Amino acid sequence: MRREEGLEQAAACLPRELRIAVLATGADKTVEEVRLRAGRGLFLTLGSGREEQVIVGGAPIPVTGDDLSLTVELATRASFQVAAEQVRRGFLPLKGGHRLGLCGTVNVQGGEITGIRELSSLAVRVARPVPGFGRAVTEGMVQGRRVKSTLILSPPGYGKTTLLRDTLRLLSEERRLRIGLADERGEVAGLWRGVPQLDVGPTTDVLDGCPKAQGLLTLLRGMNPQVLAADEITAPQDVEALTQAANCGVALVATAHAAGLEDLKRRPLYKRMLAQRCFERICVIERRGAGRTCRLEALP
Amino acid sequence: MIQLIGGSMVLCACVGGALALSAQRRRGLALGEELCRSLTVMERELGRFDPETAQLLRRGGEACTGEGQAFYRRVLRRLEEEPEAGLARLWRQEGEALPLPSGAAKAFLPVGALLGRYDALAQRAGLREAAGAMGEELQSAKEEESRESSLRLALGSCAAVFLLALLL
């Protein structure tokens, strides 16, 4: 997908006037997000992280509450009730793997978020796959037909999910392995009407929206995977499910927030996982200037 | 004689006009009742499943005949063809062309701003409220129509008696 195609696809959920302004302003830029703020205007988040207000004819483009409501209506095909669960998670998946983040006054019942009313701002997050990012990891993981269970580590914002997605794509496309992906928040495959909007390979079965721990075991029982994958292992139940899966002889690929192995060892949650030898390899993502590199290490 | 013929013609025109007006009002009332029922059907549907709005509109259309069904079809078609117009505007535009009694129209027209924009619970509450308000408006419109019919009948009878007296 070309850069401008991605922006065009992501901006399809915007009301006409806003869409035209975004496409005209963002055509020659790397736009990562389009932000709509009621009463304050339209902003583009560029690749450098800087926010730029969209100005047409010398005046900022106005954004009203109705614009936000219409954007959500277009994103949900006028069916907010169907997307209620995704709204509780804070974002709506869009065609093409893009996402619409929602902000406003939250409805809470019994301590749980039940919905958002009175929208105040929206963020259209433009998906940008990085094909080839996972090649070094895949080559280090696979030995013949055997895949070594690998845990991808990095601090937030380094591209763990992007690396996981590309690794799964390569394992699927090039090695033809059956992969089961527990995509709890819909960030890896971006399922939209049953079809992954982000390339996770032809042989990857995606379980979307299901808590990871249950999802991993469901996939294990139902889909007979050779590789099980999950993004962001953060709860003891996730670790428990991974341990069970590892004992069943399935290779695992997962991600976790940590700067490296030492950082991981300090976290009580991951101690048991490491002790059980669920993973044989770790892959640490590091920043090198504007780019990223992956360092693969064998676990003792 | 000419005056008599003229008087008869005026009387006939008045009677015809009154009958047409009455028929139009009855048509509006019948349509209002159908649309009110369709709101209840959609509310129930939302309670059972979480259908997409297009499916909900289809179910609403199935609860109607003739003009009501055509209204839902038009809204659905336009929603597919011009989603950027927004359901609220499409619903209002198409609804304004319906011959609903004014009070019932006032309750029915804002429903488009509710459908598909809130969670199922809020939509159900809104639909219930709209159907209730519409039902009340239709009831009072019906009573008014009945009162006016009696008045028209009395006036028509008086005019007929007067004409008959003139003829004799």
Side-chain angles (χ1 to χ4, degrees):
Chain A
M1 189 188 337
R2 286 186 301 123
R3 195 180 61 197
E4 56 273 35
E5 274 176 14
L7 179 61
E8 213 172 305
Q9 202 176 37
C13 69
L14 299 177
R16 191 179 150 77
E17 291 78 19
L18 302 185
R19 188 173 65 236
I20 290 169
V22 164
L23 294 179
T25 313
D28 54 348
K29 299 178 179 115
T30 308
V31 179
E32 295 198 338
E33 292 171 350
V34 179
R35 290 179 175 268
L36 290 81
R37 296 185 174 111
R40 286 162 292 169
L42 183 63
F43 299 82
L44 303 180
T45 309
L46 305 179
S48 58
R50 194 170 58 87
E51 274 204 23
E52 183 181 298
Q53 185 156 21
V54 178
I55 292 172
V56 174
I61 292 276
V63 174
T64 64
D66 276 350
D67 289 324
L68 303 190
S69 297
L70 185 55
T71 303
V72 173
E73 184 174 330
L74 291 169
T76 57
R77 290 166 51 108
S79 299
F80 190 83
Q81 65 275 18
V82 179
E85 181 52 42
Q86 287 143 345
V87 171
R88 275 193 276 276
R89 285 189 256 157
F91 66 87
L92 296 167
L94 302 173
K95 192 176 181 192
H98 315 288
R99 295 198 297 169
L100 180 68
L102 311 160
C103 221
T105 309
V106 172
N107 290 335
V108 179
Q109 272 178 6
E112 291 210 353
I113 295 174
T114 55
I116 295 179
R117 63 193 153 86
E118 300 290 331
L119 292 164
S120 60
S121 45
L122 299 175
V124 181
R125 302 179 66 181
V126 184
R128 282 191 309 126
V130 187
F133 188 28
R135 179 151 314 273
V137 186
T138 317
E139 280 167 8
M141 280 170 70
V142 182
Q143 286 186 344
R145 288 289 293 172
R146 191 171 174 278
V147 181
K148 296 199 164 190
S149 292
T150 303
L151 183 64
I152 298 168
L153 304 176
S154 85
Y158 275 50
K160 283 187 294 296
T161 306
T162 309
L163 179 61
L164 174 68
R165 185 185 304 123
D166 199 52
T167 303
L168 298 181
R169 179 185 68 83
L170 290 168
L171 288 174
S172 169
E173 254 176 31
E174 295 180 0
R175 314 278 170 164
R176 288 284 151 183
L177 290 164
R178 271 191 318 280
I179 300 166
L181 168 64
D183 196 8
E184 183 173 349
R185 297 195 296 173
E187 287 177 298
V188 185
L191 221 58
W192 194 81
R193 296 179 177 263
V195 181
Q197 298 298 300
L198 297 161
D199 194 359
V200 286
T203 59
T204 302
D205 302 307
V206 185
L207 195 63
D208 180 81
C210 180
K212 274 186 286 287
Q214 287 158 263
L216 286 167
L217 298 178
T218 304
L219 283 165
L220 191 64
R221 283 192 294 263
M223 301 307 286
N224 186 25
Q226 292 165 298
V227 178
L228 263 181
D231 195 20
E232 292 189 9
I233 301 303
T234 50
Q237 303 92 296
D238 303 342
V239 173
E240 181 64 34
L242 283 174
T243 310
Q244 275 191 45
N247 290 335
C248 294
V250 179
L252 307 172
V253 189
T255 69
H257 288 300
L261 184 57
E262 291 310 312
D263 189 18
L264 196 72
K265 280 178 181 170
R266 279 197 291 271
R267 316 271 181 93
L269 175 68
Y270 302 115
K271 269 188 184 164
R272 182 172 171 228
M273 194 170 72
L274 291 173
Q276 296 272 339
R277 295 178 190 279
C278 294
F279 293 97
E280 299 158 271
R281 293 265 197 275
I282 58 160
C283 171
V284 185
I285 307 173
E286 293 166 327
R287 270 188 202 268
R288 290 276 158 85
R292 313 274 197 278
T293 57
C294 308
R295 180 165 48 84
L296 208 60
E297 285 177 32
L299 282 171
Chain B
M1 190 64 185
I2 290 171
Q3 279 179 346
L4 196 63
I5 293 170
S8 311
M9 284 172 74
V10 168
L11 181 67
C12 288
C14 287
V15 169
L19 286 175
L21 183 68
S22 178
Q24 195 188 353
R25 284 190 175 174
R26 275 201 299 272
R27 189 179 128 218
L29 284 171
L31 176 64
E33 276 171 1
E34 272 199 346
L35 290 173
C36 186
R37 199 168 48 244
S38 73
L39 297 186
T40 312
V41 167
M42 290 199 289
E43 191 265 322
R44 250 186 277 137
E45 195 77 0
L46 270 169
R48 264 183 288 210
F49 323 99
D50 275 340
E52 286 200 353
T53 301
Q55 175 64 15
L56 205 60
L57 293 174
R58 255 175 239 123
R59 292 288 295 121
E62 282 164 15
C64 301
T65 55
E67 271 181 294
Q69 201 168 54
F71 161 79
Y72 278 105
R73 280 197 188 138
R74 280 196 303 273
V75 172
L76 254 171
R77 182 175 47 77
R78 288 188 64 190
L79 189 62
E80 276 167 26
E81 286 171 4
E82 40 185 319
E84 286 180 25
L87 180 56
R89 195 193 300 176
L90 296 177
W91 181 280
R92 184 169 280 279
Q93 280 174 358
E94 292 297 335
E96 277 169 350
L98 296 172
L100 285 173
S102 64
K106 215 171 170 181
F108 182 72
L109 293 180
V111 170
L114 168 84
L115 290 174
R117 282 201 172 187
Y118 302 93
D119 60 30
L121 272 178
Q123 286 189 56
R124 287 186 68 194
L127 282 170
R128 259 197 309 272
E129 202 174 303
M134 209 173 160
E136 279 171 23
E137 290 293 343
L138 286 169
Q139 186 57 37
S140 61
K142 233 191 256 178
E143 284 164 10
E144 193 184 330
E145 168 62 16
S146 159
R147 270 197 308 273
E148 284 183 12
S149 289
S150 308
L151 183 68
R152 278 196 296 269
L153 187 67
L155 283 174
S157 305
C158 288
V161 169
F162 179 69
L163 191 66
L164 202 63
L166 279 180
L167 278 169
L168 292 174

Coordinates of all heavy atoms in Angstrom, one line a residue, chain A residues 75-123:
Chain A
A75 N -17.8 5.6 10.0 CA -16.9 4.5 10.4 C -17.6 3.3 10.8 O -17.1 2.2 10.6 CB -16.0 5.0 11.5
T76 N -18.8 3.5 11.3 CA -19.6 2.3 11.8 C -20.7 1.9 10.8 O -21.5 1.1 11.1 CB -20.3 2.6 13.1 OG1 -21.1 3.7 13.0 CG2 -19.3 2.8 14.2
R77 N -20.7 2.5 9.6 CA -21.8 2.4 8.6 C -23.1 2.6 9.3 O -24.1 1.8 9.2 CB -21.7 1.0 8.0 CG -20.5 0.8 7.1 CD -20.2 -0.6 6.7 NE -21.4 -1.3 6.2 CZ -21.6 -1.6 5.0 NH1 -20.7 -1.3 4.1 NH2 -22.7 -2.3 4.6
A78 N -23.2 3.7 10.1 CA -24.4 4.1 10.8 C -24.9 3.0 11.7 O -26.1 2.8 11.9 CB -25.5 4.5 9.8
S79 N -24.0 2.2 12.3 CA -24.4 1.1 13.2 C -23.6 1.1 14.5 O -22.8 0.2 14.7 CB -24.3 -0.3 12.5 OG -25.1 -0.3 11.4
F80 N -23.7 2.1 15.2 CA -22.9 2.3 16.4 C -23.1 1.1 17.4 O -22.2 0.6 18.0 CB -23.2 3.6 17.1 CG -22.3 4.0 18.2 CD1 -21.1 4.6 18.0 CD2 -22.6 3.7 19.6 CE1 -20.3 5.0 19.0 CE2 -21.8 4.0 20.6 CZ -20.6 4.7 20.3
Q81 N -24.4 0.6 17.4 CA -24.7 -0.5 18.3 C -23.9 -1.7 18.1 O -23.6 -2.5 19.0 CB -26.2 -0.8 18.3 CG -26.7 -1.4 17.0 CD -27.1 -0.3 15.9 OE1 -26.6 0.8 16.0 NE2 -27.9 -0.7 14.9
V82 N -23.5 -2.0 16.8 CA -22.7 -3.1 16.5 C -21.3 -3.0 17.0 O -20.6 -4.0 17.3 CB -22.8 -3.4 14.9 CG1 -22.0 -4.6 14.5 CG2 -24.2 -3.5 14.5
A83 N -20.8 -1.7 17.0 CA -19.4 -1.5 17.4 C -19.3 -1.2 18.8 O -18.2 -0.8 19.3 CB -18.9 -0.3 16.5
A84 N -20.3 -1.4 19.6 CA -20.3 -1.0 21.0 C -19.1 -1.6 21.8 O -18.5 -1.0 22.6 CB -21.6 -1.4 21.7
E85 N -18.8 -2.9 21.5 CA -17.7 -3.6 22.2 C -16.4 -2.9 21.9 O -15.5 -2.7 22.7 CB -17.7 -5.1 21.8 CG -16.6 -5.9 22.5 CD -16.6 -5.8 24.0 OE1 -17.7 -5.8 24.6 OE2 -15.5 -5.7 24.6
Q86 N -16.2 -2.5 20.6 CA -15.0 -1.9 20.2 C -14.9 -0.5 20.8 O -13.8 0.0 21.2 CB -14.9 -1.8 18.6 CG -14.6 -3.2 18.0 CD -15.4 -3.4 16.8 OE1 -16.3 -2.7 16.4 NE2 -15.0 -4.4 16.0
V87 N -16.0 0.2 20.9 CA -16.0 1.5 21.5 C -15.6 1.4 23.0 O -14.8 2.2 23.4 CB -17.4 2.1 21.4 CG1 -17.5 3.4 22.2 CG2 -17.8 2.4 20.0
R88 N -16.0 0.3 23.6 CA -15.5 0.1 25.0 C -14.0 0.0 25.1 O -13.4 0.4 26.1 CB -16.2 -1.1 25.6 CG -17.6 -0.9 26.2 CD -18.1 -2.0 27.0 NE -18.6 -3.1 26.2 CZ -19.9 -3.1 25.8 NH1 -20.7 -2.1 26.1 NH2 -20.4 -4.1 25.1
R89 N -13.5 -0.6 24.0 CA -12.0 -0.7 24.0 C -11.3 0.6 23.6 O -10.1 0.7 23.7 CB -11.6 -1.8 23.0 CG -11.9 -3.2 23.5 CD -11.2 -4.2 22.5 NE -12.2 -4.8 21.7 CZ -11.9 -5.4 20.5 NH1 -10.7 -5.3 20.0 NH2 -12.9 -5.9 19.8
G90 N -12.1 1.6 23.1 CA -11.6 2.9 22.9 C -11.3 3.2 21.4 O -10.9 4.3 21.1
F91 N -11.5 2.2 20.5 CA -11.3 2.6 19.1 C -12.1 1.7 18.2 O -12.6 0.6 18.6 CB -9.8 2.4 18.8 CG -9.3 1.0 18.8 CD1 -9.4 0.1 17.8 CD2 -8.7 0.5 20.0 CE1 -9.0 -1.2 17.8 CE2 -8.3 -0.8 20.1 CZ -8.4 -1.7 19.0
L92 N -12.3 2.2 17.0 CA -13.1 1.4 16.0 C -12.1 1.0 14.9 O -11.3 1.8 14.4 CB -14.1 2.3 15.4 CG -15.2 2.8 16.3 CD1 -16.0 3.9 15.6 CD2 -16.2 1.6 16.6
P93 N -12.2 -0.3 14.5 CA -11.3 -0.7 13.4 C -11.9 -0.2 12.0 O -13.1 -0.1 11.9 CB -11.3 -2.2 13.4 CG -12.6 -2.6 14.1 CD -12.9 -1.4 15.0
L94 N -11.1 0.3 11.1 CA -11.5 0.8 9.9 C -11.0 -0.1 8.7 O -10.0 -0.9 8.9 CB -11.0 2.2 9.6 CG -11.3 3.3 10.6 CD1 -10.6 4.5 10.3 CD2 -12.8 3.5 10.6
K95 N -11.6 0.0 7.6 CA -11.2 -0.8 6.5 C -9.7 -0.4 6.1 O -9.4 0.8 6.2 CB -12.1 -0.5 5.3 CG -11.9 -1.5 4.1 CD -12.8 -1.2 3.0 CE -12.6 -2.3 1.9 NZ -13.3 -1.9 0.7
G96 N -8.9 -1.4 5.9 CA -7.5 -1.2 5.6 C -6.6 -1.3 6.8 O -5.4 -1.0 6.7
G97 N -7.2 -1.7 7.9 CA -6.4 -1.8 9.2 C -6.2 -0.5 9.9 O -5.4 -0.5 10.9
H98 N -6.7 0.6 9.4 CA -6.6 1.8 10.2 C -7.5 1.8 11.4 O -8.4 0.9 11.5 CB -7.0 3.0 9.2 CG -6.3 2.8 7.9 ND1 -5.0 3.0 7.7 CD2 -6.8 2.5 6.7 CE1 -4.7 2.8 6.4 NE2 -5.8 2.4 5.8
R99 N -7.4 2.8 12.3 CA -8.2 2.8 13.5 C -8.7 4.1 13.8 O -8.0 5.1 13.5 CB -7.4 2.2 14.7 CG -7.0 0.8 14.5 CD -6.6 0.2 15.7 NE -5.4 0.8 16.3 CZ -5.0 0.6 17.5 NH1 -5.7 -0.3 18.3 NH2 -3.9 1.2 18.0
L100 N -9.9 4.2 14.4 CA -10.4 5.4 14.8 C -10.5 5.5 16.3 O -11.3 4.7 16.9 CB -11.8 5.6 14.2 CG -12.5 6.9 14.5 CD1 -11.8 8.1 13.9 CD2 -14.0 6.9 14.0
G101 N -9.7 6.3 17.0 CA -9.7 6.4 18.4 C -10.7 7.4 18.8 O -10.9 8.4 18.2
L102 N -11.4 7.1 19.9 CA -12.5 8.0 20.4 C -12.3 8.6 21.7 O -11.7 7.9 22.6 CB -13.8 7.2 20.5 CG -14.2 6.3 19.3 CD1 -15.2 5.2 19.8 CD2 -14.8 7.1 18.2
C103 N -12.7 9.8 21.9 CA -12.5 10.5 23.2 C -13.8 11.4 23.5 O -14.3 12.0 22.5 CB -11.3 11.4 23.1 SG -10.4 11.4 24.6
G104 N -14.2 11.4 24.7 CA -15.4 12.2 25.0 C -15.9 11.9 26.4 O -15.1 11.5 27.2
T105 N -17.1 12.1 26.7 CA -17.6 11.8 28.0 C -18.0 10.3 28.1 O -18.8 9.8 27.2 CB -18.9 12.6 28.3 OG1 -18.6 14.0 28.0 CG2 -19.3 12.5 29.7
V106 N -17.4 9.6 29.0 CA -17.6 8.1 29.1 C -18.8 7.7 29.9 O -19.0 8.3 31.0 CB -16.3 7.5 29.6 CG1 -16.4 6.0 29.9 CG2 -15.1 7.8 28.6
N107 N -19.5 6.8 29.5 CA -20.6 6.2 30.3 C -20.0 5.0 31.1 O -19.4 4.2 30.5 CB -21.7 5.6 29.4 CG -22.5 6.6 28.7 OD1 -22.6 7.8 29.2 ND2 -23.1 6.3 27.6
V108 N -20.2 5.0 32.4 CA -19.7 3.9 33.2 C -20.8 3.3 34.0 O -21.7 4.0 34.5 CB -18.6 4.5 34.2 CG1 -18.1 3.3 35.1 CG2 -17.5 5.1 33.5
Q109 N -20.9 2.0 33.9 CA -21.9 1.2 34.7 C -21.2 0.1 35.4 O -20.5 -0.7 34.8 CB -23.0 0.7 33.8 CG -24.1 1.7 33.5 CD -25.2 1.1 32.6 OE1 -25.1 0.0 32.2 NE2 -26.1 2.0 32.3
G110 N -21.4 0.0 36.7 CA -20.8 -1.1 37.5 C -19.3 -1.0 37.3 O -18.6 -2.1 37.3
G111 N -18.7 0.2 37.2 CA -17.2 0.3 37.2 C -16.7 0.0 35.8 O -15.5 0.0 35.6
E112 N -17.5 -0.3 34.8 CA -17.0 -0.6 33.5 C -17.5 0.4 32.4 O -18.6 0.9 32.5 CB -17.5 -2.0 33.0 CG -16.9 -3.1 33.8 CD -16.8 -4.4 33.1 OE1 -17.3 -4.5 31.9 OE2 -16.2 -5.3 33.6
I113 N -16.7 0.7 31.5 CA -17.0 1.6 30.4 C -18.1 0.9 29.5 O -17.9 -0.2 29.0 CB -15.8 2.0 29.6 CG1 -14.8 2.8 30.5 CG2 -16.2 2.8 28.4 CD1 -13.5 3.1 29.8
T114 N -19.2 1.6 29.4 CA -20.3 1.0 28.5 C -20.4 1.7 27.2 O -21.0 1.2 26.3 CB -21.6 1.0 29.2 OG1 -21.9 2.4 29.6 CG2 -21.6 0.1 30.4
G115 N -19.8 2.9 27.1 CA -19.9 3.6 25.8 C -19.3 5.0 26.0 O -18.9 5.4 27.1
I116 N -19.3 5.7 24.9 CA -18.9 7.1 24.9 C -19.9 8.0 24.3 O -20.4 7.7 23.2 CB -17.5 7.3 24.1 CG1 -16.4 6.5 24.8 CG2 -17.2 8.8 24.0 CD1 -15.1 6.6 24.1
R117 N -20.4 9.1 25.0 CA -21.3 10.0 24.5 C -20.6 11.4 24.4 O -19.5 11.5 24.9 CB -22.6 10.1 25.3 CG -22.3 10.5 26.7 CD -23.5 10.3 27.6 NE -23.1 10.2 29.0 CZ -22.9 11.2 29.8 NH1 -23.1 12.4 29.4 NH2 -22.5 11.0 31.0
E118 N -21.2 12.3 23.8 CA -20.6 13.7 23.7 C -19.1 13.6 23.3 O -18.2 13.8 24.1 CB -20.7 14.4 25.1 CG -22.1 14.6 25.6 CD -22.9 15.6 24.8 OE1 -22.3 16.5 24.2 OE2 -24.1 15.4 24.7
L119 N -18.9 13.2 22.0 CA -17.5 13.1 21.6 C -16.8 14.4 21.6 O -17.4 15.4 21.3 CB -17.5 12.6 20.1 CG -18.0 11.1 19.9 CD1 -18.4 10.9 18.5 CD2 -17.0 10.1 20.4
S120 N -15.5 14.4 22.0 CA -14.8 15.6 22.1 C -13.6 15.6 21.1 O -13.3 16.6 20.5 CB -14.2 15.9 23.5 OG -13.4 14.8 23.8
S121 N -13.0 14.5 20.9 CA -12.0 14.4 19.8 C -11.9 13.0 19.3 O -12.3 12.0 19.9 CB -10.7 14.9 20.3 OG -10.4 14.3 21.6
L122 N -11.4 12.9 18.1 CA -11.2 11.6 17.4 C -9.8 11.6 16.8 O -9.3 12.6 16.4 CB -12.2 11.5 16.2 CG -13.7 11.4 16.5 CD1 -14.5 11.4 15.3 CD2 -14.0 10.2 17.4
A123 N -9.2 10.4 16.7 CA -7.9 10.2 16.1 C -8.0 9.1 15.0 O -8.2 8.0 15.4 CB -6.8 9.9 17.1

